Amino acid sequence: MEEFNNILASYAQQDLTPLIQLFIILTFLMFLPAVIFMFTSFIRIIITFSFIKSAIGAQQSIPNQILLGVAIAMTVFIMAPTVNEINEKAVKPYLQEEINFQEALNEAQKPIKSFLLKQTRESDIKLFLESAKMDTKNLTRDDVPLYVLAPAFAISELKTAFQIGFLIYLPFLLIDLVVASTLMAMGMMMLPPVMVSLPFKLLLFIMVDGWNLLIKSLLLSFN
């Protein structure tokens, strides 16, 4: 990561032609989706939405584009304080020529690392530190490199999303069991239980104001 920052700094200090500048911008845009996935709350949100969609059994009723749009909107909302801090401490001072490009990169990393550290488990950080064969005796949480923190954050988000998904599935699984048992007791084994349980799942989700409860729970999980 330090070598990558030094390369960017050397490019920033040179007078690049418009063509080279365009190439660098397009290259950055290619990696933008990966940045969104690896450094934001998007992973937890989109996987949770996938679980709720599967638990209700409405795979065809809820378009993926809708859930993706809501996930992106929530990601922007959750990451807004971090982005504002980067803008205030790194982007604006650099544009005003108060700091150089290397200092701007270092300042931009601090809010990102602060957010990632709050959401990443110690065991996951330890896993990648040991895999990188880094000396952890004198290493504090604030000194963890970003290239170690990013994958640790990703697997932590996956675990958290699966835990949320498990809790989401429980009430809907109970409805499936009750409906399946009732149909079997009535001898209606040819009728798909999923078709009968879907209205009851939707009714339960509406009665508890499911979307409000789900979004509130996700927002609180990041606080």
Side-chain angles (χ1 to χ4, degrees), residues 11-190:
Y11 279 137
Q13 295 172 357
Q14 300 176 5
D15 294 329
L16 302 178
T17 63
L19 184 60
I20 298 298
Q21 293 177 359
L22 179 62
F23 173 76
I24 294 174
I25 293 174
L26 293 177
T27 303
F28 172 77
L29 291 177
M30 289 174 57
F31 291 98
L32 188 58
V35 172
I36 294 176
F37 293 152
M38 297 297 293
F39 295 95
T40 68
S41 57
F42 184 82
I43 297 176
R44 185 187 308 183
I45 296 171
I46 195 63
I47 293 179
T48 301
F49 284 173
S50 178
F51 274 121
I52 191 66
K53 181 179 179 180
S54 178
I56 295 177
Q59 287 89 346
Q60 304 298 327
S61 303
I62 308 176
N64 290 329
Q65 293 83 350
I66 299 296
L67 295 181
L68 184 62
V70 176
I72 293 176
M74 285 190 60
T75 301
V76 172
F77 177 81
I78 293 172
M79 299 303 300
T82 303
V83 174
N84 290 335
E85 188 175 354
I86 294 174
N87 184 52
E88 292 293 331
K89 294 184 177 181
V91 178
K92 284 185 177 180
Y94 175 70
L95 294 178
Q96 296 173 359
E97 298 183 353
E98 297 176 0
I99 58 176
N100 57 36
F101 188 74
Q102 181 64 48
E103 293 173 338
L105 286 176
N106 294 334
E107 290 296 326
Q109 289 184 24
K110 292 179 181 179
I112 297 175
K113 291 177 66 174
S114 177
F115 172 79
L116 299 183
L117 285 170
K118 289 179 182 179
Q119 310 299 330
T120 308
R121 294 176 175 82
E122 293 284 350
S123 58
D124 296 328
I125 297 177
K126 183 179 179 181
L127 169 64
F128 286 96
L129 286 175
E130 292 177 350
S131 299
K133 298 180 180 180
M134 298 184 63
D135 184 13
T136 58
K137 293 182 178 179
N138 300 321
L139 188 69
T140 63
R141 284 176 61 89
D142 295 334
D143 296 330
V144 177
L146 201 57
Y147 70 88
V148 171
L149 195 55
F153 167 76
I155 63 174
S156 290
E157 288 294 280
L158 287 174
K159 182 177 181 179
T160 302
F162 274 65
Q163 290 174 340
I164 297 174
F166 172 76
L167 296 176
I168 289 173
Y169 257 95
L170 288 180
F172 298 113
L173 179 61
L174 180 61
I175 293 177
D176 283 333
L177 291 175
V178 172
V179 171
S181 300
T182 303
L183 292 176
M184 185 173 295
M186 296 174 62
M188 304 174 63
M189 291 178 291
M190 299 301 294

